[in-house]
Amino acid sequence: MSTYNQLELSRRELLISSAATVVVTGTAASSAAAQPAGDDMKFTTPVAFTVNGERRELEVDNRTTLLDALREHLHLTGTKKGCDHGQCGACTVIVDGHRINSCLTLAVMHGGDEITTIEGLGQPGNLHPMQAAFVKHDGFQCGYCTPGQICSSIAVLEEIKADIPSHVTADLTGPAKLTAAEVRERMSGNICRCGAYSNILDAISEVGGFEV
Ligand code: FES
Ligand code: FES
């Protein structure tokens, strides 16, 4: 059971610590007041990168995703916004040779990068072989997921060529094999609500040169 002196000590310590809290809080409040407010605060940053071979310079809100920078600032609307949460792959673009979900990354993180969107792969009359294969094999219905599917497909073939293993690669010591199972696994982040998966696989197999 506590003695009177122990209780008295506790009370005194409590008062001291309360006073210290007031001092710290007061300091924090005055330092917050010293921050610039409203129009004085800087929320934008200049960023320059190359998109489809062309240097582009932007001043963007720091929170702007690469996807929004492409669509809203550069008006490259081929790249689609599906979920905006990294779960559908509709926003896939190729950055410095690697596919990424452009909705999951900030534009200001890509200064100096080389970005390729569906517009940079080919044009009507001069399609990229993967675009032509998607057309030939009916690898789409509504087409909304298609730009992301095509960017991913091209990057997938490069990943396999570079011996980058996937979750289904059985032999991690040998060269990665170009098989339907590998491609299915690697394309699993690209969702097609129309269910054109088998035709997409046919298109990739034609370009990649493997049997389905
Ligand atoms: Fe980026 Fe769905 S919009 S993954
Ligand atoms: Fe419609 Fe894939 S073609 S979502």
Side-chain angles (χ1 to χ4, degrees):
M1 198 169 166
S2 302
T3 64
Y4 171 80
N5 280 344
Q6 282 173 318
L7 283 174
E8 184 62 16
L9 186 62
S10 305
R11 210 171 123 251
R12 199 171 290 134
E13 283 172 345
L14 178 66
L15 287 171
I16 290 168
S17 82
S18 300
T21 305
V22 169
V23 170
V24 170
T25 311
T27 307
S30 57
S31 94
Q35 295 287 324
D39 292 343
D40 294 336
M41 289 194 78
K42 187 163 161 49
F43 293 114
T44 63
T45 301
V47 61
F49 36 56
T50 302
V51 183
N52 301 330
E54 192 182 336
R55 181 176 161 85
R56 309 301 296 259
E57 294 176 11
L58 296 173
E59 173 97 17
V60 290
D61 185 307
N62 299 335
R63 299 161 293 182
T64 306
T65 62
L66 179 59
L67 173 60
D68 285 340
L70 293 170
R71 289 181 55 85
E72 310 300 334
H73 293 254
L74 300 178
H75 308 297
L76 292 167
T77 53
T79 306
K80 300 297 185 231
K81 182 181 283 190
C83 62
D84 211 16
H85 282 81
Q87 296 181 352
C88 73
C91 64
T92 305
V93 296
I94 301 171
V95 176
D96 291 340
H98 303 287
R99 58 188 172 141
I100 63 168
N101 288 335
S102 59
C103 70
L104 286 188
T105 186
L106 297 174
V108 294
M109 295 164 65
H110 293 283
D113 285 358
E114 298 266 348
I115 300 162
T116 303
T117 69
I118 191 73
E119 291 93 342
L121 291 175
Q123 299 292 329
N126 183 29
L127 295 180
H128 184 284
M130 191 66 79
Q131 291 173 309
F134 267 64
V135 172
K136 177 178 168 187
H137 292 278
D138 279 339
F140 53 87
Q141 285 184 42
C142 75
Y144 197 80
C145 72
T146 311
Q149 300 277 6
I150 291 175
C151 286
S152 248
S153 303
I154 292 166
V156 158
L157 294 181
E158 293 303 316
E159 286 165 18
I160 296 174
K161 212 183 283 177
D163 282 343
I164 298 171
S166 79
H167 287 295
V168 300
T169 305
D171 180 6
L172 296 180
T173 60
K177 292 196 175 70
L178 188 49
T179 63
E182 279 286 354
V183 172
R184 278 198 188 96
E185 165 63 19
R186 291 169 196 261
M187 291 296 294
S188 61
N190 288 82
I191 308 302
C192 176
R193 291 155 187 81
C194 300
Y197 297 114
S198 60
N199 293 2
I200 290 170
L201 190 60
D202 287 345
I204 301 173
S205 80
E206 177 174 316
V207 178
F210 66 94
E211 294 292 318
V212 177

